[in-house]
Amino acid sequence: MSKTMKIILSVVGLFVALIAVSIGYLYFQFSPLMGNAPPDYVVKNYIEEKYGFEIDIIETRTYGMGASPEFIVSPETDEDIRFNVIVDSSDHSVIEDDYSYALEADKEFQKLKTVILVIEEMGFTGEEHTDIRLNYNYESISLILMDHEGINFKMFAADGLDRYYALYQLIVESQADLDNIVIADESSSYSLDLFMEPLAAAKNKEEFLTILKTYHPLIVSHELVRQLQDEAAAIKNERFYFGNQFAKEHGDDEDPWLQCIEVSETAECTSAHITITYQEDGFTSGNPYFAKDLETIFGFIATHLEPEIRVETISLEADDLSGDSLEIGYEDRMKYEDVEELIAFLLNE
């Protein structure tokens, strides 16, 4: 073989080797993203060396390019305990685990287990119809439940309070030290948070509701709407009504036309936002009824809401679902006592 041929073969060999190394590197970097997570034995060996027990891998999660894969694991001898192991996506070494926090959560779960059957009989399950478990992070321990009867904020005090108060009392009796209980509605995006520390001050069901309202202004909003529904219906006409047409079209009864923005410690609404559906193409100075309608709306607010409840904004939304709207802020209402001047300001005329 000639010297030239040897050189050519050497160069070709080096080139092939570089390609192989590059392919191997890319595979190593992106294999978790292509469904090839780090091998299970990396996590199993790590746990056995650190804690001295074998594990079952429950689930493996990845959260996007370059993200570290997360393993959810459980000791083979104790399926109640589940904890997370995070693995470096670049070299598949273990970054951290939260076994110590899982142990703390398990202590509370063992207390909670004494009442789980009763909780299930009340119509609750774990997230996404799973078994009831505790969720934890580095700062808190939470119980997340799915309510299969649904959360009805519209009639909360009448239909839901007794059940949630009984659930709260049951968990207190179990002596499980939880930071909060999150109750989710499987049929909507609504959820109810029971923060255990502030609720501990409640001596009875009425005080429980008061504290709950301070964290859930939607309860207060629906109570006010129910109290004012006759008065609001009395002033509506063919041009406007109180409420959001989009919510009405989709049958969303949980979207009140008055929404409390702030609630006092005694669960009184102190500021709010009002939504009114107004006729198509009605936001013009050429509308001969516009000023009169605004005067009627402002009179309703002055009679039934202010000054106790400051109406920060009034949203007039077109009834054709076009997205056209007009926002009237509190400061503008106070500045322009003359409605015609206010309309000119709002329309930039």
Side-chain angles (χ1 to χ4, degrees):
M1 183 182 294
S2 67
K3 183 176 181 182
T4 302
M5 183 59 69
K6 289 181 179 179
I7 293 174
I8 291 173
L9 290 176
S10 298
V11 171
V12 170
L14 179 60
F15 184 74
V16 170
L18 288 173
I19 291 176
V21 170
S22 298
I23 291 174
Y25 174 78
L26 290 173
Y27 178 82
F28 193 73
Q29 287 291 321
F30 295 103
S31 60
L33 306 177
M34 297 184 292
N36 297 314
D40 294 354
Y41 69 80
V42 172
V43 177
K44 290 185 175 182
N45 289 347
Y46 165 83
I47 295 299
E48 188 169 8
E49 290 177 7
K50 184 174 181 179
Y51 297 112
F53 56 79
E54 296 183 351
I55 58 169
D56 292 320
I57 294 178
I58 309 300
E59 186 180 352
T60 304
R61 298 173 179 172
T62 54
Y63 299 97
M65 184 175 292
S68 298
E70 182 178 291
F71 288 75
I72 300 174
V73 304
S74 179
E76 285 186 348
T77 56
D78 193 345
E79 62 180 13
D80 281 347
I81 299 177
R82 290 187 181 182
F83 60 101
N84 304 302
V85 181
I86 299 175
V87 178
D88 193 308
S89 60
S90 62
D91 63 6
H92 294 175
S93 63
V94 173
I95 297 175
E96 62 178 336
D97 69 83
D98 58 6
Y99 178 59
S100 61
Y101 296 96
L103 283 179
E104 292 300 317
D106 185 64
K107 291 178 184 177
E108 307 311 320
F109 182 67
Q110 297 308 316
K111 301 172 188 175
L112 187 69
K113 284 179 71 173
T114 61
V115 297
I116 282 181
L117 182 60
V118 182
I119 293 175
E120 291 174 339
E121 290 173 348
M122 294 172 67
F124 300 100
T125 66
E127 296 179 84
E128 300 178 356
H129 302 272
T130 59
D131 293 338
I132 293 175
R133 306 188 61 85
L134 292 182
N135 293 62
Y136 65 91
N137 56 35
Y138 300 109
E139 298 179 347
S140 64
I141 300 174
S142 303
L143 172 61
I144 301 179
L145 298 174
M146 187 72 71
D147 185 352
H148 299 288
E149 292 188 14
I151 300 172
N152 186 352
F153 282 111
K154 188 175 183 180
M155 297 294 292
F156 182 83
D159 296 340
L161 181 60
D162 289 347
R163 186 159 161 263
Y164 294 129
Y165 187 54
L167 172 66
Y168 167 75
Q169 288 183 308
L170 194 65
I171 292 172
V172 170
E173 290 169 9
S174 77
Q175 298 185 346
D177 186 9
L178 309 181
D179 291 283
N180 71 309
I181 307 166
V182 180
I183 304 170
D185 186 338
E186 65 176 344
S187 61
S188 72
S189 60
Y190 296 105
S191 63
L192 187 74
D193 290 278
L194 307 182
F195 295 102
M196 302 299 282
E197 184 175 355
L199 285 173
K203 299 181 180 64
N204 50 49
K205 183 173 65 176
E206 289 69 28
E207 291 183 4
F208 175 83
L209 178 59
T210 297
I211 295 171
L212 207 57
K213 286 179 178 178
T214 63
Y215 290 94
H216 296 281
L218 192 57
I219 301 173
V220 184
S221 299
H222 277 296
E223 288 183 349
L224 283 170
V225 168
R226 190 164 59 251
Q227 293 168 14
L228 297 172
Q229 60 186 1
D230 292 339
E231 290 82 354
I235 67 167
K236 73 176 183 178
N237 55 39
E238 67 276 8
R239 294 177 299 278
F240 76 87
Y241 61 84
F242 288 81
N244 178 283
Q245 187 185 17
F246 183 83
K248 182 179 179 181
E249 292 286 334
H250 290 77
D252 187 357
D253 291 334
E254 293 299 310
D255 186 15
W257 53 262
L258 183 149
Q259 294 178 323
C260 290
I261 300 171
E262 294 181 359
V263 177
S264 69
E265 292 183 357
T266 56
E268 300 293 331
C269 183
T270 57
S271 67
H273 168 83
I274 287 180
T275 301
I276 296 173
T277 297
Y278 202 79
Q279 69 177 12
E280 179 183 359
D281 299 327
F283 310 139
T284 67
S285 56
N287 178 358
Y289 304 103
F290 196 22
K292 181 180 178 181
D293 289 338
L294 287 184
E295 288 176 350
T296 299
I297 293 167
F298 295 164
F300 172 88
I301 291 172
T303 302
H304 300 290
L305 299 173
E306 290 177 344
E308 288 81 7
I309 303 173
R310 170 169 158 158
V311 177
E312 300 290 350
T313 54
I314 304 168
S315 289
L316 298 177
E317 301 179 353
D319 63 4
D320 58 355
L321 299 180
S322 63
D324 293 338
S325 63
L326 196 65
E327 295 281 326
I328 306 174
Y330 176 83
E331 300 296 340
D332 294 334
R333 281 195 294 123
M334 297 300 104
K335 181 178 180 180
Y336 296 97
E337 295 184 4
D338 183 279
V339 175
E340 296 285 357
E341 291 182 5
L342 174 61
I343 290 174
F345 167 76
L346 294 172
L347 300 178
N348 296 315
E349 295 180 348

